[in-house]
Amino acid sequence: MEEKALEVYDVIRSIRDPEKPNTLEELDVVTEKCVEVRELGEDEYLIVIKFSPTVPHCSLATLIGLCLQVKLQRCLPFKHKLEIYISEGTHSTEEDINKQINDKERVAAAMENPNLREIVEQCVIEPDD
């Protein structure tokens, strides 16, 4: 499973922060330890990501979660279920945000918003593109 976790981490580490020029990896928002992969069945995996916003009142934590969702849905070559959470104790409204970023309808609705979609695209684009 460690190999899969590294594969997932490689996908998310280059996501850019919505406010800063840095990547989530450079800001320690995501680390190798924050990715957990469990086998669900043949060729299907559960991916759990726990990220840590840079500040406890980060207004962009939901947006970062959305970027993680979008990038992984697009880039992972294997079948998976995805759960994304804010690391416990690292955000003042972590419960609300966890519900939002794991709700398929809310994610879909957010991506229908042109302004939001544009921000997400800027964050998930590969530096070499």
Side-chain angles (χ1 to χ4, degrees):
M1 286 312 107
E2 209 170 290
E3 195 179 298
K4 287 276 185 238
L6 278 174
E7 193 177 337
V8 171
Y9 181 67
D10 269 346
V11 170
I12 63 173
R13 62 193 281 195
S14 62
I15 295 174
R16 281 202 267 300
D17 183 88
E19 277 186 324
K20 300 179 175 84
N22 310 73
T23 65
L24 297 185
E25 178 183 50
E26 291 167 344
L27 295 169
D28 275 339
V29 173
V30 297
T31 62
E32 281 182 37
K33 290 185 190 89
C34 81
V35 179
E36 189 185 322
V37 178
R38 291 182 227 142
E39 200 160 352
L40 289 175
E42 203 173 312
D43 293 331
E44 187 175 4
Y45 299 87
L46 170 64
I47 299 166
V48 179
I49 295 175
K50 294 183 177 169
F51 71 96
S52 303
T54 50
V55 289
H57 53 273
C58 176
S59 60
L60 298 170
T62 310
L63 188 58
I64 291 169
L66 187 60
C67 291
L68 290 167
Q69 283 271 13
V70 168
K71 182 102 186 226
L72 288 169
Q73 284 169 359
R74 288 182 185 171
C75 296
L76 288 182
F78 52 86
K79 200 171 168 192
H80 62 276
K81 286 188 171 142
L82 190 54
E83 293 179 9
I84 298 175
Y85 303 103
I86 289 182
S87 297
E88 208 170 307
T90 60
H91 198 280
S92 49
T93 61
E94 67 191 56
E95 248 180 72
D96 294 338
I97 293 171
N98 288 342
K99 277 186 198 144
Q100 275 186 302
I101 56 181
N102 287 295
D103 182 322
K104 283 187 171 76
E105 280 87 40
R106 285 188 185 183
V107 169
M111 288 308 286
E112 285 174 16
N113 175 320
N115 298 338
L116 213 45
R117 188 173 59 238
E118 177 61 28
I119 295 168
V120 169
E121 294 297 345
Q122 290 305 311
C123 293
V124 301
I125 194 168
E126 284 299 323
D128 317 326
D129 289 356

